[in-house]
Every structure is written in C-alpha cells, then in structure tokens.
Amino acid sequence: MLNAQLSIKLLKIMETSAKKGEFIASIVADFASLGINVKEEDIARRAIGSPDNFSRPYLWKKVEEFQKKTGKILFSKDTATPLKYLGHCMSIKRLDDFFSGDCPEIQALLEEQAVKETKTSKTPVNIKNIRESFLKKYADYCGLQANKELEEKPVRTCYLKGFEDTKDWKTPIFAVEDDINHVLKKKGLILEVQKDGSYLGWITDETTVGELADVFQVSVYQK
C-alpha cells in the first residue's frame, strides 16, 4: 500500500476544464427550472454528505454529467456510494474547483482511493534479487507480464492497472517501492530510489523499465 503522504500528480491527458462556478451554476439552474430560487454561495457551502434540499442521487447525476463534459473522473469504482471516499464534510465548492481546474484536497483523496482500489501485489520480495522482485511486482501493478518485453517498454507508457485512462505511470513505482521497503525494514535495510540525486526526475520518455529496475537494484542501503 502506498504511503498516504506521497503526493502523486496525475497527468491530465484528454481533459478539459469547466468554467469556474459552472458546476454550482448548473445546480442553481436546475432549482430555478423548478421555481426554486437559491443562491450560488448557499450551494457552494453545502457539504456533499448533507446537501439539504436535494438528494445525493441527484448530486451523483450532476457529477456524472460533468465527468462526461470534462473528462475529469471523480467517482470511485464503488457504484453504491461513489463519492464516499471524499468524506461527508467535503463542500460542493470543492467539486466545482475540481471540475474547473484543480483541487489539491480532492486530488490527494483520488490518489489514495486509486491505490485502495488496486489489488495489492502478492508476489514475494526476494531481498537477494531486488531487481527481479521489482520487475515482478511492477508487472502486477501494471497488469503486464514480467518478461524481456516489459524491460524494454518505456516507463512512462506503463500505467496503473484499472486506471489506464489517467496515464498514471508513477503510482506503480510508488506501490512497488512501498512493498519492497516493507520487507527490507524487517531486515534492517531501506530502499531509497534515486539516480544522480533525483527521485523520479531522471526518468524521460525514453527511460525503460529495465533501467528503472537497475536503479532499484542499487538503491538498497543498510540503516
């Protein structure tokens, strides 16, 4: 499982942003069509867990509408309670911020949720061969086969299994790092992935999985 403190900036490919306030204005317009006048600031302050005058299914439908409009996915895979991971106190204004640009609070929760919804790799760690362990676990998280073909693939084209549409190539690396560190710490060892003093900044569009595996192999230290 990933360290929740790690901040992953998901790449926003094929997304567009709604205008600031557009999500809230759309709700106000729906009310107006029913002859009910509400102020945008009133809608903005409401919490998604207690939206007062409208039901959560309505809110879900509105979110779904804006997901299709912007390509920004807010729902979790839990179709029964797709916004539960945001918590009851998340304001509707934050949803508007998310659809109109960027909302760090929601982004962090989305990243944690993505990991929780991803199956944990059950592949054991062989501390005598960190490179091989990395490749097998990395393949698990990416839904690929641990073979020569995988080693030749560019790292930035290997995405988190089940979340390929986010083009998220970083989370599988974080996941494997956490899995390996969990085992190494019991042996008094630690994995500190870096190359030339950089964590992942050295990875380019041409960097291969094999090269990343090599870095993992030489990044194990005694505590």
Side-chain angles (χ1 to χ4, degrees), residues 34-76:
L34 297 173
I36 303 172
N37 294 318
V38 293
K39 295 180 179 180
E40 292 188 2
E41 54 264 34
D42 178 43
I43 295 296
R45 68 171 175 76
R46 297 185 187 185
I48 64 173
S50 53
D52 300 332
N53 296 338
F54 56 88
S55 66
R56 280 180 290 178
Y58 165 79
L59 182 60
W60 298 340
K61 186 174 182 180
K62 184 58 63 176
V63 167
E64 186 175 29
E65 175 187 326
F66 273 73
Q67 286 186 152
K68 291 177 181 178
K69 179 183 179 67
T70 65
K72 296 174 181 287
I73 305 303
L74 191 58
F75 279 167
S76 71

Side-chain angles (χ1 to χ4, degrees), residues 168-218:
D168 177 18
W169 58 270
K170 293 182 180 180
T171 297
I173 300 174
F174 296 145
V176 176
E177 182 183 12
D178 278 1
D179 285 353
I180 293 178
N181 256 324
H182 181 70
V183 174
L184 291 180
K185 286 179 179 178
K186 296 177 182 179
K187 303 293 183 179
L189 301 170
I190 189 169
L191 173 68
E192 294 184 349
V193 179
Q194 63 173 330
K195 181 178 180 181
D196 300 328
S198 174
Y199 181 33
L200 299 183
W202 59 274
I203 298 177
T204 68
D205 290 342
E206 289 73 40
T207 303
T208 65
V209 173
E211 291 176 271
L212 179 59
D214 292 338
V215 172
F216 263 73
Q217 177 66 40
V218 298

Side-chain angles (χ1 to χ4, degrees), residues 7-10 12 15 23 44 46 48 59 63 67 72-76 82-87 89-114:
S7 176
I8 311 164
K9 202 70 174 176
L10 299 181
K12 301 184 182 306
E15 290 184 357
F23 180 76
R46 297 185 187 185
I48 64 173
L59 182 60
V63 167
Q67 286 186 152
K72 296 174 181 287
I73 305 303
L74 191 58
F75 279 167
S76 71
L83 298 178
K84 183 178 180 180
Y85 72 99
L86 294 177
C89 296
M90 180 66 67
S91 70
I92 292 177
K93 181 183 182 301
R94 289 283 184 258
L95 304 192
D96 187 275
D97 290 341
F98 174 77
F99 285 121
S100 64
D102 187 33
C103 180
E105 295 88 348
I106 288 182
Q107 191 62 50
L109 291 171
L110 271 172
E111 291 155 7
E112 290 181 25
Q113 184 66 15

